[in-house]
mmCIF file of all heavy atoms in Angstrom:
data_model
loop_
_atom_site.group_PDB
_atom_site.id
_atom_site.type_symbol
_atom_site.label_atom_id
_atom_site.label_comp_id
_atom_site.label_asym_id
_atom_site.label_seq_id
_atom_site.Cartn_x
_atom_site.Cartn_y
_atom_site.Cartn_z
ATOM 1 N N LEU Q 612 0.806 -1.189 0.017
ATOM 2 C CA LEU Q 612 -0.024 -0.007 0.015
ATOM 3 C C LEU Q 612 0.903 1.253 0.031
ATOM 4 O O LEU Q 612 0.578 2.221 -0.754
ATOM 5 C CB LEU Q 612 -0.946 0.004 1.252
ATOM 6 C CG LEU Q 612 -1.902 1.128 1.353
ATOM 7 C CD1 LEU Q 612 -2.848 1.215 0.128
ATOM 8 C CD2 LEU Q 612 -2.717 1.087 2.606
ATOM 9 N N VAL Q 613 1.910 1.251 0.781
ATOM 10 C CA VAL Q 613 2.884 2.361 0.797
ATOM 11 C C VAL Q 613 3.501 2.550 -0.581
ATOM 12 O O VAL Q 613 3.750 3.641 -1.042
ATOM 13 C CB VAL Q 613 3.949 2.177 1.858
ATOM 14 C CG1 VAL Q 613 5.086 3.200 1.729
ATOM 15 C CG2 VAL Q 613 3.291 2.338 3.245
ATOM 16 N N LEU Q 614 3.821 1.400 -1.243
ATOM 17 C CA LEU Q 614 4.388 1.511 -2.563
ATOM 18 C C LEU Q 614 3.506 2.218 -3.582
ATOM 19 O O LEU Q 614 3.921 3.114 -4.287
ATOM 20 C CB LEU Q 614 4.714 0.066 -3.052
ATOM 21 C CG LEU Q 614 5.222 -0.076 -4.521
ATOM 22 C CD1 LEU Q 614 6.543 0.642 -4.707
ATOM 23 C CD2 LEU Q 614 5.310 -1.511 -4.957
ATOM 24 N N THR Q 615 2.203 1.812 -3.565
ATOM 25 C CA THR Q 615 1.267 2.440 -4.525
ATOM 26 C C THR Q 615 1.074 3.931 -4.180
ATOM 27 O O THR Q 615 1.094 4.812 -5.083
ATOM 28 C CB THR Q 615 -0.049 1.731 -4.527
ATOM 29 O OG1 THR Q 615 -0.606 1.714 -3.154
ATOM 30 C CG2 THR Q 615 0.073 0.315 -5.025
ATOM 31 N N LEU Q 616 0.924 4.244 -2.906
ATOM 32 C CA LEU Q 616 0.718 5.620 -2.542
ATOM 33 C C LEU Q 616 2.004 6.439 -2.782
ATOM 34 O O LEU Q 616 1.927 7.685 -3.188
ATOM 35 C CB LEU Q 616 0.347 5.705 -1.052
ATOM 36 C CG LEU Q 616 -0.995 5.095 -0.666
ATOM 37 C CD1 LEU Q 616 -1.268 5.238 0.842
ATOM 38 C CD2 LEU Q 616 -2.168 5.709 -1.472
ATOM 39 N N GLY Q 617 3.123 5.858 -2.622
ATOM 40 C CA GLY Q 617 4.404 6.577 -2.869
ATOM 41 C C GLY Q 617 4.588 6.848 -4.393
ATOM 42 O O GLY Q 617 5.006 7.931 -4.782
ATOM 43 N N CYS Q 618 4.151 5.906 -5.206
ATOM 44 C CA CYS Q 618 4.183 6.126 -6.669
ATOM 45 C C CYS Q 618 3.248 7.246 -7.051
ATOM 46 O O CYS Q 618 3.582 8.119 -7.902
ATOM 47 C CB CYS Q 618 3.827 4.847 -7.437
ATOM 48 S SG CYS Q 618 5.176 3.655 -7.464
ATOM 49 N N LEU Q 619 2.063 7.265 -6.468
ATOM 50 C CA LEU Q 619 1.080 8.347 -6.784
ATOM 51 C C LEU Q 619 1.647 9.714 -6.363
ATOM 52 O O LEU Q 619 1.477 10.702 -7.084
ATOM 53 C CB LEU Q 619 -0.238 8.056 -6.107
ATOM 54 C CG LEU Q 619 -1.106 7.023 -6.652
ATOM 55 C CD1 LEU Q 619 -2.312 6.774 -5.790
ATOM 56 C CD2 LEU Q 619 -1.502 7.330 -8.098
ATOM 57 N N ALA Q 620 2.261 9.731 -5.182
ATOM 58 C CA ALA Q 620 2.827 11.033 -4.681
ATOM 59 C C ALA Q 620 3.992 11.491 -5.626
ATOM 60 O O ALA Q 620 4.086 12.698 -5.972
ATOM 61 C CB ALA Q 620 3.284 10.862 -3.288
ATOM 62 N N THR Q 621 4.823 10.566 -6.040
ATOM 63 C CA THR Q 621 5.939 10.909 -6.924
ATOM 64 C C THR Q 621 5.395 11.454 -8.222
ATOM 65 O O THR Q 621 5.899 12.403 -8.747
ATOM 66 C CB THR Q 621 6.838 9.699 -7.120
ATOM 67 O OG1 THR Q 621 7.340 9.268 -5.874
ATOM 68 C CG2 THR Q 621 8.025 10.065 -8.027
ATOM 69 N N ALA Q 622 4.398 10.741 -8.813
ATOM 70 C CA ALA Q 622 3.861 11.143 -10.080
ATOM 71 C C ALA Q 622 3.205 12.516 -9.970
ATOM 72 O O ALA Q 622 3.261 13.327 -10.904
ATOM 73 C CB ALA Q 622 2.819 10.131 -10.548
ATOM 74 N N ARG Q 623 2.592 12.780 -8.786
ATOM 75 C CA ARG Q 623 1.973 14.083 -8.583
ATOM 76 C C ARG Q 623 2.961 15.241 -8.656
ATOM 77 O O ARG Q 623 2.732 16.289 -9.241
ATOM 78 C CB ARG Q 623 1.240 14.093 -7.216
ATOM 79 C CG ARG Q 623 0.622 15.393 -6.839
ATOM 80 C CD ARG Q 623 -0.653 15.618 -7.590
ATOM 81 N NE ARG Q 623 -1.264 16.880 -7.298
ATOM 82 C CZ ARG Q 623 -2.439 17.294 -7.816
ATOM 83 N NH1 ARG Q 623 -3.085 16.550 -8.704
ATOM 84 N NH2 ARG Q 623 -2.978 18.472 -7.471
ATOM 85 N N PHE Q 624 4.112 14.997 -8.071
ATOM 86 C CA PHE Q 624 5.183 16.066 -8.015
ATOM 87 C C PHE Q 624 5.993 16.114 -9.290
ATOM 88 O O PHE Q 624 6.449 17.207 -9.680
ATOM 89 C CB PHE Q 624 6.017 15.880 -6.796
ATOM 90 C CG PHE Q 624 5.421 16.253 -5.529
ATOM 91 C CD1 PHE Q 624 4.928 15.264 -4.637
ATOM 92 C CD2 PHE Q 624 5.220 17.585 -5.138
ATOM 93 C CE1 PHE Q 624 4.324 15.661 -3.410
ATOM 94 C CE2 PHE Q 624 4.614 17.923 -3.982
ATOM 95 C CZ PHE Q 624 4.148 16.963 -3.130
ATOM 96 N N GLU Q 625 6.208 14.969 -9.915
ATOM 97 C CA GLU Q 625 7.185 14.934 -11.048
ATOM 98 C C GLU Q 625 6.529 15.148 -12.408
ATOM 99 O O GLU Q 625 7.078 15.761 -13.270
ATOM 100 C CB GLU Q 625 7.898 13.589 -11.007
ATOM 101 C CG GLU Q 625 8.809 13.414 -9.772
ATOM 102 C CD GLU Q 625 9.967 14.369 -9.761
ATOM 103 O OE1 GLU Q 625 10.365 14.835 -10.886
ATOM 104 O OE2 GLU Q 625 10.473 14.661 -8.677
ATOM 105 N N VAL Q 626 5.311 14.538 -12.670
ATOM 106 C CA VAL Q 626 4.783 14.562 -14.018
ATOM 107 C C VAL Q 626 3.331 15.098 -14.069
ATOM 108 O O VAL Q 626 2.688 14.932 -15.037
ATOM 109 C CB VAL Q 626 4.820 13.100 -14.635
ATOM 110 C CG1 VAL Q 626 6.214 12.633 -14.819
ATOM 111 C CG2 VAL Q 626 4.058 12.159 -13.698
ATOM 112 N N HIS Q 627 2.882 15.717 -12.990
ATOM 113 C CA HIS Q 627 1.546 16.273 -13.005
ATOM 114 C C HIS Q 627 1.603 17.618 -13.768
ATOM 115 O O HIS Q 627 2.550 18.366 -13.663
ATOM 116 C CB HIS Q 627 1.057 16.528 -11.601
ATOM 117 C CG HIS Q 627 -0.360 16.976 -11.523
ATOM 118 N ND1 HIS Q 627 -0.768 18.264 -11.443
ATOM 119 C CD2 HIS Q 627 -1.506 16.217 -11.426
ATOM 120 C CE1 HIS Q 627 -2.088 18.345 -11.388
ATOM 121 N NE2 HIS Q 627 -2.509 17.111 -11.374
ATOM 122 N N PRO Q 628 0.579 17.985 -14.598
ATOM 123 C CA PRO Q 628 -0.679 17.329 -14.790
ATOM 124 C C PRO Q 628 -0.554 16.138 -15.765
ATOM 125 O O PRO Q 628 0.327 16.123 -16.622
ATOM 126 C CB PRO Q 628 -1.560 18.398 -15.389
ATOM 127 C CG PRO Q 628 -0.622 19.322 -16.070
ATOM 128 C CD PRO Q 628 0.633 19.338 -15.265
ATOM 129 N N TYR Q 629 -1.418 15.129 -15.593
ATOM 130 C CA TYR Q 629 -1.370 13.975 -16.424
ATOM 131 C C TYR Q 629 -2.143 14.234 -17.670
ATOM 132 O O TYR Q 629 -3.217 14.874 -17.600
ATOM 133 C CB TYR Q 629 -1.950 12.767 -15.654
ATOM 134 C CG TYR Q 629 -1.500 12.693 -14.237
ATOM 135 C CD1 TYR Q 629 -2.434 12.616 -13.200
ATOM 136 C CD2 TYR Q 629 -0.144 12.665 -13.865
ATOM 137 C CE1 TYR Q 629 -2.064 12.593 -11.874
ATOM 138 C CE2 TYR Q 629 0.215 12.579 -12.533
ATOM 139 C CZ TYR Q 629 -0.726 12.594 -11.581
ATOM 140 O OH TYR Q 629 -0.305 12.487 -10.246
ATOM 141 N N SER Q 630 -1.702 13.703 -18.768
ATOM 142 C CA SER Q 630 -2.406 13.944 -20.041
ATOM 143 C C SER Q 630 -2.367 12.714 -20.885
ATOM 144 O O SER Q 630 -1.310 12.036 -20.975
ATOM 145 C CB SER Q 630 -1.738 15.144 -20.811
ATOM 146 O OG SER Q 630 -2.373 15.220 -22.089
ATOM 147 N N ARG Q 631 -3.446 12.388 -21.526
ATOM 148 C CA ARG Q 631 -3.530 11.261 -22.413
ATOM 149 C C ARG Q 631 -2.909 11.627 -23.787
ATOM 150 O O ARG Q 631 -2.402 10.706 -24.450
ATOM 151 C CB ARG Q 631 -4.937 10.820 -22.630
ATOM 152 C CG ARG Q 631 -5.129 9.600 -23.542
ATOM 153 C CD ARG Q 631 -6.569 9.278 -23.817
ATOM 154 N NE ARG Q 631 -6.738 8.182 -24.715
ATOM 155 C CZ ARG Q 631 -7.870 7.828 -25.252
ATOM 156 N NH1 ARG Q 631 -9.027 8.469 -24.960
ATOM 157 N NH2 ARG Q 631 -7.923 6.838 -26.121
ATOM 158 N N TRP Q 632 -2.908 12.846 -24.121
ATOM 159 C CA TRP Q 632 -2.514 13.241 -25.466
ATOM 160 C C TRP Q 632 -1.175 13.979 -25.483
ATOM 161 O O TRP Q 632 -0.483 13.841 -26.491
ATOM 162 C CB TRP Q 632 -3.587 14.111 -26.067
ATOM 163 C CG TRP Q 632 -4.950 13.486 -26.090
ATOM 164 C CD1 TRP Q 632 -5.930 13.691 -25.223
ATOM 165 C CD2 TRP Q 632 -5.405 12.487 -26.996
ATOM 166 N NE1 TRP Q 632 -7.029 12.862 -25.498
ATOM 167 C CE2 TRP Q 632 -6.721 12.155 -26.602
ATOM 168 C CE3 TRP Q 632 -4.835 11.832 -28.140
ATOM 169 C CZ2 TRP Q 632 -7.469 11.213 -27.265
ATOM 170 C CZ3 TRP Q 632 -5.630 10.908 -28.764
ATOM 171 C CH2 TRP Q 632 -6.881 10.577 -28.366
ATOM 172 N N ALA Q 633 -0.846 14.780 -24.541
ATOM 173 C CA ALA Q 633 0.327 15.632 -24.599
ATOM 174 C C ALA Q 633 1.494 14.974 -23.881
ATOM 175 O O ALA Q 633 1.369 14.385 -22.805
ATOM 176 C CB ALA Q 633 0.088 16.988 -23.979
ATOM 177 N N SER Q 634 2.690 15.102 -24.531
ATOM 178 C CA SER Q 634 3.909 14.710 -23.807
ATOM 179 C C SER Q 634 4.278 15.729 -22.754
ATOM 180 O O SER Q 634 3.689 16.818 -22.757
ATOM 181 C CB SER Q 634 5.063 14.534 -24.859
ATOM 182 O OG SER Q 634 5.420 15.882 -25.364
ATOM 183 N N PRO Q 635 5.264 15.466 -21.935
ATOM 184 C CA PRO Q 635 5.737 16.556 -20.997
ATOM 185 C C PRO Q 635 6.095 17.841 -21.668
ATOM 186 O O PRO Q 635 5.729 18.927 -21.160
ATOM 187 C CB PRO Q 635 6.925 15.880 -20.319
ATOM 188 C CG PRO Q 635 6.656 14.421 -20.398
ATOM 189 C CD PRO Q 635 5.951 14.164 -21.677
ATOM 190 N N ALA Q 636 6.730 17.761 -22.872
ATOM 191 C CA ALA Q 636 7.031 19.023 -23.594
ATOM 192 C C ALA Q 636 5.747 19.724 -23.997
ATOM 193 O O ALA Q 636 5.614 20.954 -23.945
ATOM 194 C CB ALA Q 636 7.906 18.732 -24.741
ATOM 195 N N GLY Q 637 4.757 18.923 -24.521
ATOM 196 C CA GLY Q 637 3.495 19.574 -24.908
ATOM 197 C C GLY Q 637 2.792 20.164 -23.723
ATOM 198 O O GLY Q 637 2.116 21.190 -23.863
ATOM 199 N N GLN Q 638 2.858 19.522 -22.545
ATOM 200 C CA GLN Q 638 2.201 20.132 -21.378
ATOM 201 C C GLN Q 638 2.860 21.457 -20.961
ATOM 202 O O GLN Q 638 2.165 22.329 -20.540
ATOM 203 C CB GLN Q 638 2.220 19.095 -20.234
ATOM 204 C CG GLN Q 638 1.422 17.822 -20.433
ATOM 205 C CD GLN Q 638 1.517 16.884 -19.328
ATOM 206 O OE1 GLN Q 638 1.335 17.251 -18.171
ATOM 207 N NE2 GLN Q 638 1.769 15.581 -19.616
ATOM 208 N N ARG Q 639 4.172 21.517 -21.157
ATOM 209 C CA ARG Q 639 4.824 22.786 -20.863
ATOM 210 C C ARG Q 639 4.396 23.939 -21.792
ATOM 211 O O ARG Q 639 4.146 25.066 -21.331
ATOM 212 C CB ARG Q 639 6.337 22.653 -20.940
ATOM 213 C CG ARG Q 639 6.936 21.843 -19.783
ATOM 214 C CD ARG Q 639 8.447 22.007 -19.670
ATOM 215 N NE ARG Q 639 9.084 21.428 -20.845
ATOM 216 C CZ ARG Q 639 9.500 20.172 -20.944
ATOM 217 N NH1 ARG Q 639 9.303 19.374 -19.935
ATOM 218 N NH2 ARG Q 639 10.179 19.759 -21.970
ATOM 219 N N LEU Q 640 4.171 23.575 -23.069
ATOM 220 C CA LEU Q 640 3.669 24.552 -23.994
ATOM 221 C C LEU Q 640 2.231 24.997 -23.677
ATOM 222 O O LEU Q 640 1.846 26.147 -23.799
ATOM 223 C CB LEU Q 640 3.789 24.061 -25.396
ATOM 224 C CG LEU Q 640 5.197 24.048 -26.006
ATOM 225 C CD1 LEU Q 640 5.109 23.483 -27.470
ATOM 226 C CD2 LEU Q 640 5.771 25.435 -26.074
ATOM 227 N N LEU Q 641 1.422 23.995 -23.216
ATOM 228 C CA LEU Q 641 0.084 24.325 -22.757
ATOM 229 C C LEU Q 641 0.139 25.286 -21.608
ATOM 230 O O LEU Q 641 -0.701 26.244 -21.567
ATOM 231 C CB LEU Q 641 -0.704 23.087 -22.421
ATOM 232 C CG LEU Q 641 -1.181 22.164 -23.582
ATOM 233 C CD1 LEU Q 641 -1.785 20.896 -23.013
ATOM 234 C CD2 LEU Q 641 -2.210 22.945 -24.426
ATOM 235 N N GLY Q 642 1.040 25.093 -20.705
ATOM 236 C CA GLY Q 642 1.114 25.976 -19.547
ATOM 237 C C GLY Q 642 1.520 27.380 -19.982
ATOM 238 O O GLY Q 642 1.000 28.374 -19.464
ATOM 239 N N ALA Q 643 2.449 27.493 -20.924
ATOM 240 C CA ALA Q 643 2.826 28.792 -21.471
ATOM 241 C C ALA Q 643 1.678 29.483 -22.194
ATOM 242 O O ALA Q 643 1.525 30.720 -22.136
ATOM 243 C CB ALA Q 643 3.970 28.632 -22.424
ATOM 244 N N LEU Q 644 0.865 28.687 -22.894
ATOM 245 C CA LEU Q 644 -0.352 29.264 -23.528
ATOM 246 C C LEU Q 644 -1.318 29.827 -22.554
ATOM 247 O O LEU Q 644 -1.834 30.896 -22.738
ATOM 248 C CB LEU Q 644 -0.989 28.169 -24.385
ATOM 249 C CG LEU Q 644 -2.240 28.591 -25.149
ATOM 250 C CD1 LEU Q 644 -1.962 29.601 -26.224
ATOM 251 C CD2 LEU Q 644 -2.980 27.369 -25.712
ATOM 252 N N ARG Q 645 -1.517 29.130 -21.463
ATOM 253 C CA ARG Q 645 -2.405 29.651 -20.455
ATOM 254 C C ARG Q 645 -1.907 30.944 -19.804
ATOM 255 O O ARG Q 645 -2.661 31.902 -19.604
ATOM 256 C CB ARG Q 645 -2.631 28.585 -19.335
ATOM 257 C CG ARG Q 645 -3.316 27.279 -19.880
ATOM 258 C CD ARG Q 645 -3.638 26.461 -18.626
ATOM 259 N NE ARG Q 645 -4.040 25.063 -19.073
ATOM 260 C CZ ARG Q 645 -3.229 24.053 -19.052
ATOM 261 N NH1 ARG Q 645 -1.935 24.153 -18.593
ATOM 262 N NH2 ARG Q 645 -3.595 22.854 -19.421
ATOM 263 N N ARG Q 646 -0.653 30.985 -19.547
ATOM 264 C CA ARG Q 646 -0.039 32.180 -18.907
ATOM 265 C C ARG Q 646 -0.003 33.347 -19.882
ATOM 266 O O ARG Q 646 -0.199 34.494 -19.476
ATOM 267 C CB ARG Q 646 1.415 31.898 -18.423
ATOM 268 C CG ARG Q 646 1.454 30.890 -17.257
ATOM 269 C CD ARG Q 646 2.833 30.872 -16.711
ATOM 270 N NE ARG Q 646 3.843 30.416 -17.677
ATOM 271 C CZ ARG Q 646 4.140 29.127 -17.860
ATOM 272 N NH1 ARG Q 646 3.536 28.189 -17.181
ATOM 273 N NH2 ARG Q 646 5.054 28.859 -18.771
ATOM 274 N N GLY Q 647 0.128 33.078 -21.185
ATOM 275 C CA GLY Q 647 0.273 34.171 -22.159
ATOM 276 C C GLY Q 647 -1.014 34.652 -22.722
ATOM 277 O O GLY Q 647 -1.067 35.632 -23.430
ATOM 278 N N ALA Q 648 -2.132 34.046 -22.282
ATOM 279 C CA ALA Q 648 -3.434 34.402 -22.864
ATOM 280 C C ALA Q 648 -3.812 35.794 -22.311
ATOM 281 O O ALA Q 648 -3.605 36.164 -21.196
ATOM 282 C CB ALA Q 648 -4.512 33.417 -22.521
#
């Protein structure tokens, strides 16, 4: 149980937000688009 919760916590800090379509680079560009609107 600690293993699963630890993986969720790590994913939350390292790769959040999660996306089915965008890669991490794509998510960074989405963030820049929101800030620049």
Side-chain angles (χ1 to χ4, degrees):
L612 183 60
V613 169
L614 174 64
T615 56
L616 295 179
C618 284
L619 286 177
T621 302
R623 177 74 181 182
F624 285 104
E625 295 293 334
V626 294
H627 189 267
Y629 319 123
S630 173
R631 180 185 177 189
W632 304 100
S634 69
Q638 293 180 48
R639 288 195 294 272
L640 284 179
L641 283 174
L644 178 68
R645 298 187 191 101
R646 293 190 298 271

